[in-house]
Amino acid sequence: MSPSRTTAATDAADGQLVAREAAALLPTYGRQPVAFASGHGPWLVDTAGNEHLDFVSGLAVTNLGHAHPEVADAVAEQARRLAHTSNLYYTEPQIALAERLQATLGWPDGQAFFANSGAEANEAALKLARRYGKSRDDAKVRVVALSGGFHGRTLATLAATVCAVWLEVVQGEAGVRPLRADVLAAARAACDRHDALLVVDEVQTGLGRLGSWYGFQQPVGESGVTPEAAGERVAPDVVCLAKALANGLPIGAMVARGEATKAFGPGDHASTFGGQPVVCAAANTVIDVIQRDGLVAAAAERGAPLRARLDRLAVDHDDVVAARGQGLLQALVLADARAEEVVAAALDRHLIVNAVAPGVVRLSPPLIVDESLTDRAVEGLTAALDDVRHEPRARG
Ligand SMILES: *Cc1c(COP(=O)(O)O)cnc(C)c1O
């Protein structure tokens, strides 16, 4: 990766876009100084024609890479046949997707509700959990969610008014923080004790990213204690999915199993677009491709050497404290709050990574990367760290 500093050239090419956006859009986003026009596989192409190695994947969304031909064909074919009917009617692609989710979760009794985003999937789960709680006790409507400084002990003191415990197996946006396996087991035990639902938000971790279909299916955390070793078989009652499910088309899904499925009946929840045929056709293809190409195992196989190189970097580089994460969701923890500067320096080198905390840089490449690309990313990141050290940038 040569430090060709083409971002300036891209800026020049996109001066018009920047001006048009400023005049036409509300300024809710602090954007990186680059505009992308196309993509293929793990590469994004900017409007000046430069290729960038994409280790963000549209926030862990484009797990099969950009412009995947089979997904594109599935979308085009379905759009030509039937794009939308609303949920007043039966459509086969939605049912087929729910069946695929049952199969990948290993939940033959799993039942899905489809929405259009991760937030909506969580909202549906919240509504389900509250109804479940109320069916037991009118006051059973509280939800316990884990904050950054969570400790297993909190679960021992849960009140009987909790209808659900909510957690992520690896907290993605909070800085790529893996949950300790014994905490997951403790959460399951607490939910069983209080007849509450264990809801796992797999919006970012689901569908192979961690090296298993779902994050809850594998040993997690830094303690080295697996749920199995702890004598517990940990499975949630509800999972929420979104990001990678349709490789870039907007979708959200909540899947419940067992008693939790009884909390919803006709009319209890709805979405105009949720589970519509085009998005479901894309998602069905995504799951088929992941299965056919062995991308879940690939994420584990690529994740291990990537993590080993990041661990090495943490030892060798003064500005890096540690690496953490699982599978192909990894992060570098920096000594200082300079993640944004490292991200900018990496962009100059045509490597796309993002900051999830002031001192944490996240890597979430598509599951199709090979080891030469993960090596290349670590080299780009190392160079970016050196750039930042030797040429301190002005913020802003
Ligand atoms: C991204 C994300 C969400 C929100 O998803 P949206 O599609 O942006 O609504 C929820 N939970 C987790 C774990 C996420 O990573």
Side-chain angles (χ1 to χ4, degrees):
M1 227 166 285
S2 63
S4 48
R5 308 267 160 193
T6 48
T7 309
T10 309
D11 279 350
D14 295 333
Q16 281 197 13
L17 285 184
V18 172
R20 281 169 59 195
E21 159 148 339
L25 277 92
L26 287 166
T28 57
Y29 296 109
R31 298 197 200 275
Q32 298 293 319
V34 64
F36 292 116
S38 65
H40 54 95
W43 303 98
L44 276 170
V45 184
D46 68 29
T47 49
N50 301 299
E51 298 211 327
H52 301 252
L53 182 58
D54 183 7
F55 268 49
V56 170
S57 306
L59 299 173
V61 167
T62 52
N63 282 9
L64 304 188
H66 296 286
H68 193 280
E70 286 161 279
V71 177
D73 285 348
V75 167
E77 279 165 27
Q78 186 61 49
R80 283 200 192 91
R81 192 176 312 124
L82 181 67
H84 181 80
T85 61
S86 89
N87 282 302
L88 293 176
Y89 314 102
Y90 293 95
T91 50
E92 198 272 341
Q94 181 177 142
I95 297 163
L97 178 56
E99 290 167 348
R100 278 172 173 79
L101 294 178
Q102 286 177 331
T104 57
L105 281 159
W107 293 1
D109 66 338
Q111 294 187 308
F113 175 86
F114 291 108
N116 311 291
S117 67
E120 286 177 61
N122 275 288
E123 209 172 85
L126 185 60
K127 200 165 170 181
L128 183 91
R130 289 231 162 100
R131 278 182 191 268
Y132 177 88
K134 268 179 171 282
S135 74
R136 264 96 186 131
D137 173 350
D138 240 15
K140 204 177 174 87
V141 291
R142 285 180 47 197
V143 168
V144 171
L146 306 193
S147 72
F150 176 80
H151 294 293
R153 208 166 358 129
T154 315
L155 289 167
T157 61
L158 283 188
T161 55
V162 173
C163 62
V165 174
W166 223 273
L167 50 83
E168 284 175 84
V169 178
V170 175
Q171 292 187 325
E173 300 307 308
V176 187
R177 300 148 55 100
L179 185 71
R180 280 175 23 214
D182 52 329
V183 174
L184 185 62
R188 177 72 272 176
C191 285
D192 290 345
R193 218 162 37 240
H194 295 289
D195 190 15
L197 299 180
L198 179 61
V199 180
V200 177
D201 180 346
E202 295 260 5
V203 166
Q204 188 159 153
T205 52
L207 301 155
R209 171 132 316 262
L210 302 188
S212 55
W213 270 102
Y214 299 95
F216 75 81
Q217 290 171 333
Q218 65 171 330
V220 293
E222 292 144 34
S223 68
V225 181
T226 68
E228 276 74 19
E232 308 270 353
R233 199 167 151 59
V234 176
D237 302 294
V238 178
V239 293
C240 297
L241 304 172
K243 292 193 163 90
L245 184 51
N247 207 51
L249 274 66
I251 188 169
M254 168 192 66
V255 187
R257 70 180 177 102
E259 283 292 302
T261 62
K262 297 178 184 155
F264 268 1
D268 279 345
H269 203 40
S271 167
T272 298
F273 287 119
Q276 64 100 284
V278 173
V279 178
C280 288
N284 284 325
T285 304
V286 165
I287 290 175
D288 291 348
V289 169
I290 292 174
Q291 259 158 351
R292 184 197 66 199
D293 294 351
L295 294 180
V296 174
E301 282 159 24
R302 301 293 172 252
L306 171 61
R307 173 54 177 277
R309 288 206 58 173
L310 295 175
D311 282 336
R312 185 81 245 154
L313 189 56
V315 171
D316 291 346
H317 207 288
D318 291 342
D319 299 339
V320 181
V321 173
R324 67 183 178 214
Q326 265 181 284
L328 286 177
L329 183 60
Q330 296 288 343
L332 273 188
V333 183
L334 308 181
D336 300 304
R338 303 181 80 184
E340 290 291 358
E341 291 169 63
V342 174
V343 167
L347 177 61
D348 280 346
R349 293 174 172 278
H350 299 169
L351 170 67
I352 311 289
V353 290
N354 79 319
V356 282
V360 183
V361 177
R362 176 172 54 188
L363 292 88
S364 53
L367 310 187
I368 54 163
V369 287
D370 61 20
E371 201 171 334
S372 75
L373 289 180
T374 55
D375 282 353
R376 188 166 165 163
V378 175
E379 280 150 28
L381 209 46
T382 308
L385 285 161
D386 290 338
D387 291 345
V388 165
R389 179 154 54 173
H390 297 135
E391 316 167 28
R393 285 159 174 269
R395 292 293 302 257

